[in-house]
Amino acid sequence: MKALLDRARSFRRRVDFEGDEYRKLAVGQFPEALFISCSDSRVIPALITGARPGEIFELRNAGNIVPPYDEQGAASGEAATIEYALEVLGVQDVVVCGHSHCGAMSALTHGTDLSGLPRVDAWLEHARPGLEPVLGEAARRAGDPVLREVVQLNVRNQLAVLRGHPVARRMIDAGRLRLHGWYYEIDTGTVHELDEDGRFRVHGS
């Protein structure tokens, strides 16, 4: 923690706050994309994308999950963030990014006993039903390929849930919103992008 504190205390000296970049940020934010990713400390959206301050609006939680829209209006940090990004900030691109070595998806893949983590278990219930087609098979196999399959299916599922949010559906129908699915490999830094045929592929820069 001391190293983090030291860097926070010296931040103003390490960054040029006299230039125009930060002065413009004080006027308002105009992010290019909403980036929905896992809370995993090894996944850093700005580092992966090279984004500068103000370029991406972030939503992070365990398993990069998008809960279904609640017609009854129950409070949800995820729904509020999506609504604000699309309605207020006018974001036109949303990325749902899953990743290798994901603890949340690994727990579902291997049927980990989460009785000691009831809130985690309840949260993952949002994703569990949509993964059932591969979880049964995953229990009979082992290794990274199985987890990768689960993580990538989860990304596809969360994109489908996102399309069910009224504001997203309205913007998609109007041609004003594009959805993207990514799979990020922690150990290689490789980004796999979801293509129109439903497969994840590595694209050249």
Side-chain angles (χ1 to χ4, degrees):
M1 187 63 195
K2 184 180 184 304
L4 296 176
L5 280 171
D6 288 344
R7 288 196 292 270
R9 289 165 178 165
S10 66
F11 179 60
R12 190 174 183 279
R13 296 195 302 274
R14 291 184 287 110
V15 176
D16 178 19
F17 280 92
E18 298 302 320
D20 288 339
E21 180 180 8
Y22 285 89
R23 294 180 188 278
K24 290 178 180 177
L25 290 177
V27 176
Q29 58 172 323
F30 307 95
E32 296 180 18
L34 167 61
F35 202 98
I36 302 175
S37 63
C38 187
S39 300
D40 194 302
S41 61
R42 300 165 294 181
V43 179
I44 307 174
L47 182 64
I48 296 169
T49 62
R52 299 289 300 163
E55 289 185 342
I56 56 175
F57 198 63
E58 296 185 30
L59 169 56
R60 305 186 65 175
N61 60 47
N64 44 271
I65 292 171
V66 179
Y69 183 78
D70 188 337
E71 297 290 348
Q72 305 304 314
S76 163
E78 286 72 23
T81 300
I82 291 167
E83 183 177 80
Y84 189 83
L86 302 188
E87 291 278 26
V88 178
L89 299 179
V91 165
Q92 296 185 353
D93 289 273
V94 180
V95 176
V96 175
C97 180
H99 67 95
S100 66
H101 308 87
C102 180
M105 293 300 107
S106 180
L108 291 176
T109 301
H110 302 297
T112 303
D113 180 8
L114 296 174
S115 58
L117 299 168
R119 296 298 180 270
V120 173
D121 190 38
W123 174 251
L124 294 182
E125 192 57 39
H126 286 301
R128 186 179 283 111
L131 297 174
E132 288 296 343
V134 296
L135 291 182
E137 176 65 19
R140 295 187 290 274
R141 295 157 56 196
D144 289 341
V146 181
L147 179 56
R148 180 169 59 245
E149 184 179 347
V150 171
V151 171
Q152 291 181 355
L153 176 58
N154 183 56
V155 169
R156 295 187 193 95
N157 290 344
Q158 301 317 311
L159 287 169
V161 175
L162 180 58
R163 292 186 187 97
H165 281 241
V167 59
R169 185 170 60 246
R170 186 167 62 249
M171 290 183 65
I172 291 171
D173 291 344
R176 296 190 294 114
L177 183 65
R178 296 173 293 270
L179 304 185
H180 311 268
W182 289 7
Y183 172 73
Y184 171 67
E185 291 182 352
I186 287 176
D187 51 333
T188 69
T190 305
V191 173
H192 303 249
E193 300 172 47
L194 181 62
D195 282 342
E196 293 183 0
D197 63 2
R199 295 177 180 272
F200 285 83
R201 293 186 173 88
V202 178
H203 292 268
S205 58

